[in-house]
Amino acid sequence: MRPINLLPTVATTRGRGGLFATLLIVLLAVAAMVYGVRWQEQRVTAASNDVRAQNKVNESLGAEVAALVPMEELRATYQDRVDKVHVALDRDVDWGLFLTELVRLVSSDIQIETISGTAGGGEGEGAFGRVAFSGLGPDFPSVAEWLRTLESEDFSGVTGPWVSNIMRQTLDDEASVNFTSTAILTPESGSGRIDRIIPEVP
Amino acid sequence: MARKPILVGLLLLLLGVVWWFFFFSPKVARVDELRADLQVAQDEELRLRARVADLQSVAELEPEYRGALDSLSVVIPDDPELDEIIDSLYDLALRSRVELLSLVPGYPSEPSDGEGLRSIVVTTRLTGEYFEVVNFLFGVNDLPRLARVDAIALSVGADGEGGLGVSLQIRFFTLSGLLPEPLEPVLPIDDTTTTTVVDVPPPTEDPGDTGDDGADTEG
């Protein structure tokens, strides 16, 4: 029996099989790459479409806003007028109410001769102005009582009352004291009419 | 024979690197960029929708806004309207039964604090009984046109009969002075004119050059 050498045939077969496997792997890899690129291209296209659609929506909304600009100007004009009223009524004092409260609370033996007052700033933070009085009282304690009245909680419109001068005098054989006094107007003396003046827009 | 798989592997690796850097990665970056753009556009949409809703709410209330503006233009009129100030104070004095002695209106002040608000201070002297004066002061606060009493001075017996003599500084407001507002320029300023002025050479140079430059600019 003659021996047959099969080795070259096996090597050839192995060689072909290896080449086929290699080509298959390369093809699969290339296919995967192409698929990956296509997939990303689709994502780019989809994202571009989304952006385009969104920009279209925004353009439409922008046109709506442009059509409504007169409304914005209307509101700005209203707000400007409201701000002006606020500025105009800064530290506005209700003098009618102030006098009413003063007359109601001050003791009947005090006779006020003059009252002068100014509204506005210049007296420090929280002050609405200053008021000055001159008056007559029966004696020195009545002036002390006057100060206590101005400082009482019942009369919240003023604070920091002060008497700068008390002088005894005799009128028609009757002794009395005249005095000059000052006080600082508080925010409670304010008119508070701003809400009434500014028409409310819901 | 063992080199072939290694070479194929290296080739595939090289191909993969090229694919990644030149084909795949730019697309991924582009997608990220577009998504960022989309996010910005979506945020813009939200902002625009909020603005539209806000302005639509104003549009729905347009009659109320216009009515409020009409009322506010009575409170602080555009023009000084001194005649109405005099009429209103006189009517108020009649209603309050005080005797009006004098009105000294000042000129409209210059606007202050950038608000465009001008003041008209009317120094007012009057006499009356206590309650009449108090009614007058309440009445000032209730005038349709905004008025505030900045200063007050009362003295007993100033009228010689035990009544009150009163001096008030009443401040009214307006938005314009006595002079009309400056007119807007009718013709727009031409940009080329400005350029011509800039291109004029210094006066030390030959005047003939000036004409040439001007012609060049215009050309």
Side-chain angles (χ1 to χ4, degrees):
Chain A
M1 193 170 179
R2 188 171 63 90
I4 300 169
N5 186 5
L6 297 174
L7 189 59
T9 311
V10 171
T12 305
T13 309
R14 277 185 185 170
R16 282 180 185 161
L19 184 64
F20 179 73
T22 304
L23 280 174
L24 190 64
I25 289 169
V26 169
L27 277 175
L28 282 173
V30 169
M33 288 173 189
V34 169
Y35 176 76
V37 170
R38 288 293 304 275
W39 175 52
Q40 286 302 327
E41 275 176 353
Q42 284 173 0
R43 290 181 70 204
V44 167
T45 306
S48 295
N49 290 339
D50 288 348
V51 170
R52 208 172 297 124
Q54 187 63 54
N55 284 338
K56 210 167 183 181
V57 169
N58 289 1
E59 276 172 23
S60 163
L61 287 168
E64 272 187 69
V65 168
L68 288 167
V69 160
M71 294 300 108
E72 191 161 40
E73 290 168 357
L74 177 67
R75 181 170 56 183
T77 307
Y78 166 78
Q79 193 56 50
D80 180 56
R81 289 287 177 124
V82 168
D83 292 344
K84 282 182 170 61
V85 173
H86 277 277
V87 170
L89 284 179
D90 181 41
R91 303 183 193 213
D92 175 44
V93 173
D94 190 338
W95 293 106
L97 188 63
F98 172 79
L99 290 178
T100 306
E101 290 288 292
L102 185 71
V103 169
R104 185 174 66 85
L105 291 171
V106 169
S107 167
S108 59
D109 56 2
I110 291 285
Q111 183 185 334
I112 300 171
E113 292 189 315
T114 64
I115 302 172
S116 62
T118 52
E123 304 297 331
E125 194 72 24
F128 267 46
R130 176 175 283 264
V131 64
F133 311 89
S134 69
L136 285 173
D139 211 337
F140 289 93
S142 63
V143 181
E145 182 60 28
W146 155 263
L147 285 175
R148 280 190 286 274
T149 302
L150 289 188
E151 206 158 26
S152 71
E153 288 181 0
D154 293 336
F155 195 9
S156 57
V158 295
T159 188
W162 199 256
V163 171
S164 53
N165 181 33
I166 314 171
M167 193 175 288
R168 179 180 287 279
Q169 64 178 14
T170 304
L171 286 174
D172 300 332
D173 294 333
E174 196 172 328
S176 62
V177 292
N178 66 23
F179 64 93
T180 55
S181 175
T182 59
I184 295 167
L185 295 167
T186 65
E188 281 73 18
S189 68
S191 65
R193 55 184 166 140
I194 199 151
D195 293 335
R196 177 169 56 83
I197 288 176
I198 295 174
E200 189 182 351
V201 177
Chain B
M1 292 293 288
R3 284 182 184 171
K4 267 188 183 173
I6 295 170
L7 283 174
V8 170
L10 284 174
L11 188 68
L12 279 177
L13 186 65
L14 183 67
L15 195 65
V17 168
V18 169
W19 170 79
W20 176 264
F21 282 106
F22 290 97
F23 294 97
F24 193 78
S25 188
K27 303 271 183 220
V28 173
R30 179 74 183 136
V31 169
D32 290 345
E33 192 182 316
L34 286 168
R35 280 187 177 166
D37 289 350
L38 183 63
Q39 187 60 50
V40 169
Q42 283 173 339
D43 291 346
E44 177 72 4
E45 182 195 355
L46 289 179
R47 194 185 66 76
L48 285 169
R49 282 200 187 283
R51 189 141 182 248
V52 165
D54 179 39
L55 293 177
Q56 275 174 345
S57 71
V58 177
E60 286 166 11
L61 295 171
E62 186 181 357
E64 284 85 351
Y65 272 105
R66 295 211 180 277
L69 271 175
D70 288 345
S71 302
L72 288 171
S73 63
V74 172
V75 171
I76 300 179
D78 292 339
D79 299 321
E81 294 174 4
L82 182 59
D83 53 336
E84 291 189 3
I85 292 177
I86 295 168
D87 279 344
S88 62
L89 287 177
Y90 180 74
D91 289 344
L92 179 59
L94 284 181
R95 276 186 279 124
S96 310
R97 295 171 186 270
V98 297
E99 188 178 350
L100 200 56
L101 299 178
S102 69
L103 294 176
V104 184
Y107 290 112
S109 69
E110 287 301 308
S112 59
D113 300 335
E115 292 285 343
L117 203 57
R118 295 168 186 262
S119 304
I120 301 170
V121 176
V122 181
T123 304
T124 307
R125 284 184 56 239
L126 53 94
T127 60
E129 298 297 321
Y130 166 77
F131 284 107
E132 294 166 353
V133 170
V134 167
N135 277 340
F136 184 85
L137 289 169
F138 280 130
V140 169
N141 281 3
D142 290 336
L143 287 176
R145 180 170 180 172
L146 181 59
R148 58 177 289 171
V149 177
D150 281 339
I152 183 171
L154 294 92
S155 56
V156 177
D159 60 349
E161 296 176 2
L164 294 175
V166 183
S167 176
L168 303 172
Q169 277 189 5
I170 305 173
R171 184 154 47 125
F172 293 84
F173 299 91
T174 183
L175 297 182
S176 65
L178 298 178
L179 290 173
E181 294 294 318
L183 294 172
E184 297 279 331
V186 178
L187 293 171
I189 297 170
D190 190 357
D191 288 338
T192 55
T193 309
T194 310
T195 311
T196 307
V197 171
V198 170
D199 286 348
V200 169
T204 53
E205 291 185 17
D206 184 9
D209 291 338
T210 309
D212 291 345
D213 285 349
D216 289 342
T217 309
E218 284 171 11

